[in-house]
Amino acid sequence: LFPVELRNSGFNDLLYGVSIWALKESKFLPNISLVTHFNAPTGDLAFQGEWSGWYRIAMSKGLTDDFSIGSNLSMTSKFDSNEFWFSDYTAWVSYTVSPRMALFVEHFANTDPNYNWDFSINGGFTYLINEDVQWDVHFGTGFDHKFNFLSTGLCWNFHNDQPMQPL
């Protein structure tokens, strides 16, 4: 019924990241965090990248008790070539299902150093295992390119006087 053409399958590189809360949400201002991710070339050869880093400004704002919106703007650098460019953006909406679980939909776009853009969408959920550990699962597809994925991750909160909230 629905033919599927499988081009590559396997595991992508591991990403390691840190998020530093810069500004707490107020009536007019969003939450703002500074986020960095480092790519370690550990994936299957079809997906393996280079040692690189993303530097991101992440913003989120609660619209109601259950709905939030957010966006990210990122820069990327490749450590071995000193390349540095504006690399992606995201825009998302989330719905809090319970005190521990939220659902989200996200539009995002990535670019290479020559600014060739790829536009995609994904959705998924976050689940608070406890006040310091969050698990997420999401899946998505490309709008203008062949790109289907399933991803999962864990986040740890190392600063315990501000418990994590689902997305």
PDB file of all heavy atoms in Angstrom, residues 2-28:
ATOM      1  N   PHE A   2       1.746   1.353   0.975  1.00  0.00           N
ATOM      2  CA  PHE A   2       2.590   2.531   1.088  1.00  0.00           C
ATOM      3  C   PHE A   2       4.037   2.113   0.919  1.00  0.00           C
ATOM      4  O   PHE A   2       4.676   1.695   1.885  1.00  0.00           O
ATOM      5  CB  PHE A   2       2.402   3.216   2.443  1.00  0.00           C
ATOM      6  CG  PHE A   2       1.002   3.655   2.697  1.00  0.00           C
ATOM      7  CD1 PHE A   2       0.155   2.912   3.489  1.00  0.00           C
ATOM      8  CD2 PHE A   2       0.533   4.827   2.121  1.00  0.00           C
ATOM      9  CE1 PHE A   2      -1.141   3.311   3.713  1.00  0.00           C
ATOM     10  CE2 PHE A   2      -0.758   5.238   2.335  1.00  0.00           C
ATOM     11  CZ  PHE A   2      -1.605   4.486   3.132  1.00  0.00           C
ATOM     12  N   PRO A   3       4.593   2.195  -0.278  1.00  0.00           N
ATOM     13  CA  PRO A   3       5.981   1.759  -0.467  1.00  0.00           C
ATOM     14  C   PRO A   3       6.937   2.652   0.310  1.00  0.00           C
ATOM     15  O   PRO A   3       6.787   3.870   0.346  1.00  0.00           O
ATOM     16  CB  PRO A   3       6.204   1.895  -1.978  1.00  0.00           C
ATOM     17  CG  PRO A   3       5.152   2.817  -2.454  1.00  0.00           C
ATOM     18  CD  PRO A   3       3.999   2.718  -1.497  1.00  0.00           C
ATOM     19  N   VAL A   4       7.887   2.029   0.943  1.00  0.00           N
ATOM     20  CA  VAL A   4       8.882   2.745   1.729  1.00  0.00           C
ATOM     21  C   VAL A   4      10.240   2.477   1.123  1.00  0.00           C
ATOM     22  O   VAL A   4      10.616   1.332   0.900  1.00  0.00           O
ATOM     23  CB  VAL A   4       8.858   2.290   3.208  1.00  0.00           C
ATOM     24  CG1 VAL A   4       9.983   2.950   3.974  1.00  0.00           C
ATOM     25  CG2 VAL A   4       7.512   2.583   3.828  1.00  0.00           C
ATOM     26  N   GLU A   5      10.966   3.526   0.848  1.00  0.00           N
ATOM     27  CA  GLU A   5      12.315   3.388   0.336  1.00  0.00           C
ATOM     28  C   GLU A   5      13.273   3.698   1.480  1.00  0.00           C
ATOM     29  O   GLU A   5      13.322   4.822   1.970  1.00  0.00           O
ATOM     30  CB  GLU A   5      12.538   4.376  -0.814  1.00  0.00           C
ATOM     31  CG  GLU A   5      13.910   4.266  -1.413  1.00  0.00           C
ATOM     32  CD  GLU A   5      14.104   5.259  -2.550  1.00  0.00           C
ATOM     33  OE1 GLU A   5      13.118   5.737  -3.114  1.00  0.00           O
ATOM     34  OE2 GLU A   5      15.269   5.554  -2.834  1.00  0.00           O
ATOM     35  N   LEU A   6      14.002   2.698   1.923  1.00  0.00           N
ATOM     36  CA  LEU A   6      14.935   2.862   3.018  1.00  0.00           C
ATOM     37  C   LEU A   6      16.311   3.136   2.440  1.00  0.00           C
ATOM     38  O   LEU A   6      16.868   2.317   1.730  1.00  0.00           O
ATOM     39  CB  LEU A   6      14.953   1.602   3.883  1.00  0.00           C
ATOM     40  CG  LEU A   6      15.777   1.646   5.146  1.00  0.00           C
ATOM     41  CD1 LEU A   6      15.242   2.736   6.076  1.00  0.00           C
ATOM     42  CD2 LEU A   6      15.745   0.306   5.835  1.00  0.00           C
ATOM     43  N   ARG A   7      16.827   4.308   2.721  1.00  0.00           N
ATOM     44  CA  ARG A   7      18.141   4.673   2.188  1.00  0.00           C
ATOM     45  C   ARG A   7      19.244   4.387   3.197  1.00  0.00           C
ATOM     46  O   ARG A   7      20.228   3.788   2.875  1.00  0.00           O
ATOM     47  CB  ARG A   7      18.146   6.137   1.807  1.00  0.00           C
ATOM     48  CG  ARG A   7      17.144   6.421   0.721  1.00  0.00           C
ATOM     49  CD  ARG A   7      17.617   7.480  -0.153  1.00  0.00           C
ATOM     50  NE  ARG A   7      16.654   7.609  -1.233  1.00  0.00           N
ATOM     51  CZ  ARG A   7      16.930   8.125  -2.346  1.00  0.00           C
ATOM     52  NH1 ARG A   7      18.125   8.573  -2.577  1.00  0.00           N
ATOM     53  NH2 ARG A   7      16.032   8.220  -3.281  1.00  0.00           N
ATOM     54  N   ASN A   8      19.086   4.891   4.393  1.00  0.00           N
ATOM     55  CA  ASN A   8      20.055   4.677   5.458  1.00  0.00           C
ATOM     56  C   ASN A   8      19.300   4.458   6.751  1.00  0.00           C
ATOM     57  O   ASN A   8      18.272   5.075   6.983  1.00  0.00           O
ATOM     58  CB  ASN A   8      20.973   5.888   5.631  1.00  0.00           C
ATOM     59  CG  ASN A   8      21.918   6.070   4.485  1.00  0.00           C
ATOM     60  OD1 ASN A   8      22.572   5.126   4.057  1.00  0.00           O
ATOM     61  ND2 ASN A   8      21.995   7.277   3.966  1.00  0.00           N
ATOM     62  N   SER A   9      19.821   3.605   7.583  1.00  0.00           N
ATOM     63  CA  SER A   9      19.263   3.438   8.913  1.00  0.00           C
ATOM     64  C   SER A   9      20.412   3.199   9.868  1.00  0.00           C
ATOM     65  O   SER A   9      21.483   2.744   9.473  1.00  0.00           O
ATOM     66  CB  SER A   9      18.261   2.284   8.959  1.00  0.00           C
ATOM     67  OG  SER A   9      18.917   1.063   8.728  1.00  0.00           O
ATOM     68  N   GLY A  10      20.191   3.517  11.114  1.00  0.00           N
ATOM     69  CA  GLY A  10      21.226   3.321  12.111  1.00  0.00           C
ATOM     70  C   GLY A  10      21.182   4.410  13.155  1.00  0.00           C
ATOM     71  O   GLY A  10      20.208   5.155  13.252  1.00  0.00           O
ATOM     72  N   PHE A  11      22.249   4.515  13.899  1.00  0.00           N
ATOM     73  CA  PHE A  11      22.331   5.476  14.987  1.00  0.00           C
ATOM     74  C   PHE A  11      23.141   6.694  14.584  1.00  0.00           C
ATOM     75  O   PHE A  11      24.170   6.589  13.923  1.00  0.00           O
ATOM     76  CB  PHE A  11      22.953   4.834  16.226  1.00  0.00           C
ATOM     77  CG  PHE A  11      22.041   3.830  16.862  1.00  0.00           C
ATOM     78  CD1 PHE A  11      22.155   2.483  16.563  1.00  0.00           C
ATOM     79  CD2 PHE A  11      21.056   4.240  17.735  1.00  0.00           C
ATOM     80  CE1 PHE A  11      21.308   1.558  17.133  1.00  0.00           C
ATOM     81  CE2 PHE A  11      20.204   3.329  18.320  1.00  0.00           C
ATOM     82  CZ  PHE A  11      20.325   1.982  18.018  1.00  0.00           C
ATOM     83  N   ASN A  12      22.661   7.839  15.002  1.00  0.00           N
ATOM     84  CA  ASN A  12      23.349   9.098  14.786  1.00  0.00           C
ATOM     85  C   ASN A  12      24.384   9.288  15.898  1.00  0.00           C
ATOM     86  O   ASN A  12      24.447   8.515  16.843  1.00  0.00           O
ATOM     87  CB  ASN A  12      22.327  10.237  14.795  1.00  0.00           C
ATOM     88  CG  ASN A  12      22.761  11.428  13.977  1.00  0.00           C
ATOM     89  OD1 ASN A  12      23.943  11.646  13.774  1.00  0.00           O
ATOM     90  ND2 ASN A  12      21.806  12.188  13.518  1.00  0.00           N
ATOM     91  N   ASP A  13      25.159  10.350  15.805  1.00  0.00           N
ATOM     92  CA  ASP A  13      26.156  10.677  16.814  1.00  0.00           C
ATOM     93  C   ASP A  13      25.491  11.015  18.146  1.00  0.00           C
ATOM     94  O   ASP A  13      24.341  11.450  18.194  1.00  0.00           O
ATOM     95  CB  ASP A  13      26.973  11.892  16.373  1.00  0.00           C
ATOM     96  CG  ASP A  13      27.806  11.619  15.142  1.00  0.00           C
ATOM     97  OD1 ASP A  13      28.104  10.439  14.865  1.00  0.00           O
ATOM     98  OD2 ASP A  13      28.157  12.588  14.456  1.00  0.00           O
ATOM     99  N   LEU A  14      26.246  10.841  19.231  1.00  0.00           N
ATOM    100  CA  LEU A  14      25.781  11.271  20.543  1.00  0.00           C
ATOM    101  C   LEU A  14      25.966  12.771  20.675  1.00  0.00           C
ATOM    102  O   LEU A  14      26.970  13.339  20.214  1.00  0.00           O
ATOM    103  CB  LEU A  14      26.567  10.568  21.651  1.00  0.00           C
ATOM    104  CG  LEU A  14      26.317   9.086  21.820  1.00  0.00           C
ATOM    105  CD1 LEU A  14      27.258   8.524  22.886  1.00  0.00           C
ATOM    106  CD2 LEU A  14      24.870   8.824  22.209  1.00  0.00           C
ATOM    107  N   LEU A  15      24.993  13.409  21.294  1.00  0.00           N
ATOM    108  CA  LEU A  15      25.071  14.837  21.593  1.00  0.00           C
ATOM    109  C   LEU A  15      25.115  15.015  23.100  1.00  0.00           C
ATOM    110  O   LEU A  15      24.366  14.363  23.829  1.00  0.00           O
ATOM    111  CB  LEU A  15      23.850  15.585  21.052  1.00  0.00           C
ATOM    112  CG  LEU A  15      23.695  15.660  19.550  1.00  0.00           C
ATOM    113  CD1 LEU A  15      22.378  16.347  19.205  1.00  0.00           C
ATOM    114  CD2 LEU A  15      24.852  16.423  18.938  1.00  0.00           C
ATOM    115  N   TYR A  16      25.973  15.899  23.558  1.00  0.00           N
ATOM    116  CA  TYR A  16      26.073  16.242  24.967  1.00  0.00           C
ATOM    117  C   TYR A  16      25.781  17.724  25.073  1.00  0.00           C
ATOM    118  O   TYR A  16      26.270  18.522  24.268  1.00  0.00           O
ATOM    119  CB  TYR A  16      27.479  15.953  25.497  1.00  0.00           C
ATOM    120  CG  TYR A  16      27.872  14.508  25.331  1.00  0.00           C
ATOM    121  CD1 TYR A  16      28.590  14.087  24.225  1.00  0.00           C
ATOM    122  CD2 TYR A  16      27.492  13.568  26.272  1.00  0.00           C
ATOM    123  CE1 TYR A  16      28.938  12.758  24.065  1.00  0.00           C
ATOM    124  CE2 TYR A  16      27.826  12.240  26.121  1.00  0.00           C
ATOM    125  CZ  TYR A  16      28.552  11.841  25.018  1.00  0.00           C
ATOM    126  OH  TYR A  16      28.882  10.525  24.864  1.00  0.00           O
ATOM    127  N   GLY A  17      24.998  18.106  26.058  1.00  0.00           N
ATOM    128  CA  GLY A  17      24.624  19.508  26.142  1.00  0.00           C
ATOM    129  C   GLY A  17      24.520  20.022  27.555  1.00  0.00           C
ATOM    130  O   GLY A  17      24.425  19.270  28.519  1.00  0.00           O
ATOM    131  N   VAL A  18      24.513  21.347  27.642  1.00  0.00           N
ATOM    132  CA  VAL A  18      24.355  22.064  28.905  1.00  0.00           C
ATOM    133  C   VAL A  18      23.429  23.237  28.643  1.00  0.00           C
ATOM    134  O   VAL A  18      23.539  23.920  27.620  1.00  0.00           O
ATOM    135  CB  VAL A  18      25.722  22.589  29.419  1.00  0.00           C
ATOM    136  CG1 VAL A  18      25.545  23.458  30.648  1.00  0.00           C
ATOM    137  CG2 VAL A  18      26.667  21.444  29.704  1.00  0.00           C
ATOM    138  N   SER A  19      22.507  23.457  29.574  1.00  0.00           N
ATOM    139  CA  SER A  19      21.600  24.597  29.491  1.00  0.00           C
ATOM    140  C   SER A  19      21.766  25.440  30.751  1.00  0.00           C
ATOM    141  O   SER A  19      21.730  24.908  31.861  1.00  0.00           O
ATOM    142  CB  SER A  19      20.153  24.111  29.374  1.00  0.00           C
ATOM    143  OG  SER A  19      19.262  25.195  29.378  1.00  0.00           O
ATOM    144  N   ILE A  20      21.950  26.734  30.563  1.00  0.00           N
ATOM    145  CA  ILE A  20      22.108  27.659  31.685  1.00  0.00           C
ATOM    146  C   ILE A  20      20.968  28.654  31.633  1.00  0.00           C
ATOM    147  O   ILE A  20      20.801  29.375  30.641  1.00  0.00           O
ATOM    148  CB  ILE A  20      23.465  28.384  31.622  1.00  0.00           C
ATOM    149  CG1 ILE A  20      24.596  27.354  31.662  1.00  0.00           C
ATOM    150  CG2 ILE A  20      23.582  29.397  32.760  1.00  0.00           C
ATOM    151  CD1 ILE A  20      25.951  27.935  31.326  1.00  0.00           C
ATOM    152  N   TRP A  21      20.183  28.688  32.676  1.00  0.00           N
ATOM    153  CA  TRP A  21      19.031  29.572  32.752  1.00  0.00           C
ATOM    154  C   TRP A  21      19.513  31.006  32.907  1.00  0.00           C
ATOM    155  O   TRP A  21      20.199  31.356  33.859  1.00  0.00           O
ATOM    156  CB  TRP A  21      18.176  29.168  33.932  1.00  0.00           C
ATOM    157  CG  TRP A  21      16.788  29.686  33.918  1.00  0.00           C
ATOM    158  CD1 TRP A  21      16.219  30.550  33.042  1.00  0.00           C
ATOM    159  CD2 TRP A  21      15.770  29.364  34.839  1.00  0.00           C
ATOM    160  NE1 TRP A  21      14.917  30.784  33.349  1.00  0.00           N
ATOM    161  CE2 TRP A  21      14.613  30.057  34.466  1.00  0.00           C
ATOM    162  CE3 TRP A  21      15.718  28.555  35.962  1.00  0.00           C
ATOM    163  CZ2 TRP A  21      13.427  29.970  35.173  1.00  0.00           C
ATOM    164  CZ3 TRP A  21      14.530  28.471  36.648  1.00  0.00           C
ATOM    165  CH2 TRP A  21      13.403  29.161  36.262  1.00  0.00           C
ATOM    166  N   ALA A  22      19.157  31.879  31.974  1.00  0.00           N
ATOM    167  CA  ALA A  22      19.632  33.256  31.984  1.00  0.00           C
ATOM    168  C   ALA A  22      18.583  34.241  32.505  1.00  0.00           C
ATOM    169  O   ALA A  22      18.927  35.233  33.139  1.00  0.00           O
ATOM    170  CB  ALA A  22      20.068  33.668  30.577  1.00  0.00           C
ATOM    171  N   LEU A  23      17.296  33.996  32.216  1.00  0.00           N
ATOM    172  CA  LEU A  23      16.242  34.931  32.620  1.00  0.00           C
ATOM    173  C   LEU A  23      14.965  34.162  32.916  1.00  0.00           C
ATOM    174  O   LEU A  23      14.529  33.344  32.109  1.00  0.00           O
ATOM    175  CB  LEU A  23      15.981  35.942  31.494  1.00  0.00           C
ATOM    176  CG  LEU A  23      14.935  37.020  31.762  1.00  0.00           C
ATOM    177  CD1 LEU A  23      15.417  37.974  32.843  1.00  0.00           C
ATOM    178  CD2 LEU A  23      14.643  37.779  30.471  1.00  0.00           C
ATOM    179  N   LYS A  24      14.373  34.419  34.076  1.00  0.00           N
ATOM    180  CA  LYS A  24      13.125  33.769  34.454  1.00  0.00           C
ATOM    181  C   LYS A  24      11.946  34.515  33.845  1.00  0.00           C
ATOM    182  O   LYS A  24      11.927  35.741  33.802  1.00  0.00           O
ATOM    183  CB  LYS A  24      12.989  33.723  35.976  1.00  0.00           C
ATOM    184  CG  LYS A  24      11.796  32.944  36.436  1.00  0.00           C
ATOM    185  CD  LYS A  24      11.767  32.815  37.948  1.00  0.00           C
ATOM    186  CE  LYS A  24      10.518  32.032  38.333  1.00  0.00           C
ATOM    187  NZ  LYS A  24      10.447  31.793  39.755  1.00  0.00           N
ATOM    188  N   GLU A  25      10.962  33.747  33.403  1.00  0.00           N
ATOM    189  CA  GLU A  25       9.757  34.305  32.792  1.00  0.00           C
ATOM    190  C   GLU A  25       9.068  35.279  33.746  1.00  0.00           C
ATOM    191  O   GLU A  25       8.972  35.052  34.939  1.00  0.00           O
ATOM    192  CB  GLU A  25       8.805  33.158  32.441  1.00  0.00           C
ATOM    193  CG  GLU A  25       7.523  33.609  31.791  1.00  0.00           C
ATOM    194  CD  GLU A  25       6.628  32.436  31.396  1.00  0.00           C
ATOM    195  OE1 GLU A  25       7.088  31.287  31.414  1.00  0.00           O
ATOM    196  OE2 GLU A  25       5.479  32.691  31.059  1.00  0.00           O
ATOM    197  N   SER A  26       8.587  36.379  33.174  1.00  0.00           N
ATOM    198  CA  SER A  26       7.780  37.346  33.910  1.00  0.00           C
ATOM    199  C   SER A  26       6.513  37.605  33.101  1.00  0.00           C
ATOM    200  O   SER A  26       6.271  36.944  32.086  1.00  0.00           O
ATOM    201  CB  SER A  26       8.557  38.648  34.127  1.00  0.00           C
ATOM    202  OG  SER A  26       8.747  39.310  32.887  1.00  0.00           O
ATOM    203  N   LYS A  27       5.749  38.575  33.507  1.00  0.00           N
ATOM    204  CA  LYS A  27       4.504  38.867  32.795  1.00  0.00           C
ATOM    205  C   LYS A  27       4.757  39.167  31.319  1.00  0.00           C
ATOM    206  O   LYS A  27       3.990  38.763  30.451  1.00  0.00           O
ATOM    207  CB  LYS A  27       3.797  40.032  33.467  1.00  0.00           C
ATOM    208  CG  LYS A  27       2.443  40.344  32.888  1.00  0.00           C
ATOM    209  CD  LYS A  27       1.740  41.423  33.687  1.00  0.00           C
ATOM    210  CE  LYS A  27       0.355  41.682  33.099  1.00  0.00           C
ATOM    211  NZ  LYS A  27      -0.358  42.698  33.855  1.00  0.00           N
ATOM    212  N   PHE A  28       5.837  39.879  31.016  1.00  0.00           N
ATOM    213  CA  PHE A  28       6.103  40.309  29.642  1.00  0.00           C
ATOM    214  C   PHE A  28       7.285  39.599  28.986  1.00  0.00           C
ATOM    215  O   PHE A  28       7.373  39.576  27.767  1.00  0.00           O
ATOM    216  CB  PHE A  28       6.344  41.815  29.605  1.00  0.00           C
ATOM    217  CG  PHE A  28       5.174  42.613  30.081  1.00  0.00           C
ATOM    218  CD1 PHE A  28       5.191  43.225  31.316  1.00  0.00           C
ATOM    219  CD2 PHE A  28       4.032  42.721  29.298  1.00  0.00           C
ATOM    220  CE1 PHE A  28       4.098  43.950  31.762  1.00  0.00           C
ATOM    221  CE2 PHE A  28       2.938  43.439  29.730  1.00  0.00           C
ATOM    222  CZ  PHE A  28       2.967  44.063  30.972  1.00  0.00           C
TER     223      PHE A  28
END
